[in-house]
Amino acid sequence: MPVPAVTEQYLPDQYENAQNYKLITKGNYILFVISESADQLVTEFDTLFTKK
């Protein structure tokens, strides 16, 4: 899914973050992340759904 053109006006580091967004769904829950730590946040989100 392409990032809207408006993000091209961001500073270079912020633009890169926007380009590398994460959109994850788990059942009725959605995680949308634009962050340098996106992969870590996705991992933490996934742990909420693992059975213990």
Side-chain angles (χ1 to χ4, degrees), residues 2 6 16-17 27-28 30 34 37-40 45 47-48 52:
V6 71
E16 184 176 343
N17 282 340
N28 292 331
I30 298 173
I34 296 177
S37 305
D39 291 331
Q40 178 63 33
F45 180 74
T47 63
L48 298 172
K52 297 180 181 188

Side-chain angles (χ1 to χ4, degrees), residues 1-11 14-15 18-19 21:
M1 181 181 313
V3 176
V6 71
T7 59
E8 293 176 5
Q9 298 174 8
Y10 291 177
L11 294 172
Q14 297 302 310
Y15 179 69
Q19 289 289 96
Y21 72 93

Side-chain angles (χ1 to χ4, degrees), residues 13-51:
D13 62 330
Q14 297 302 310
Y15 179 69
E16 184 176 343
N17 282 340
Q19 289 289 96
N20 296 319
Y21 72 93
K22 304 292 183 190
L23 179 61
I24 309 296
T25 58
K26 298 279 185 178
N28 292 331
Y29 299 93
I30 298 173
L31 174 69
F32 177 69
V33 178
I34 296 177
S35 171
E36 292 176 359
S37 305
D39 291 331
Q40 178 63 33
L41 294 167
V42 168
T43 300
E44 291 179 27
F45 180 74
D46 286 341
T47 63
L48 298 172
F49 299 93
T50 57
K51 294 184 180 185

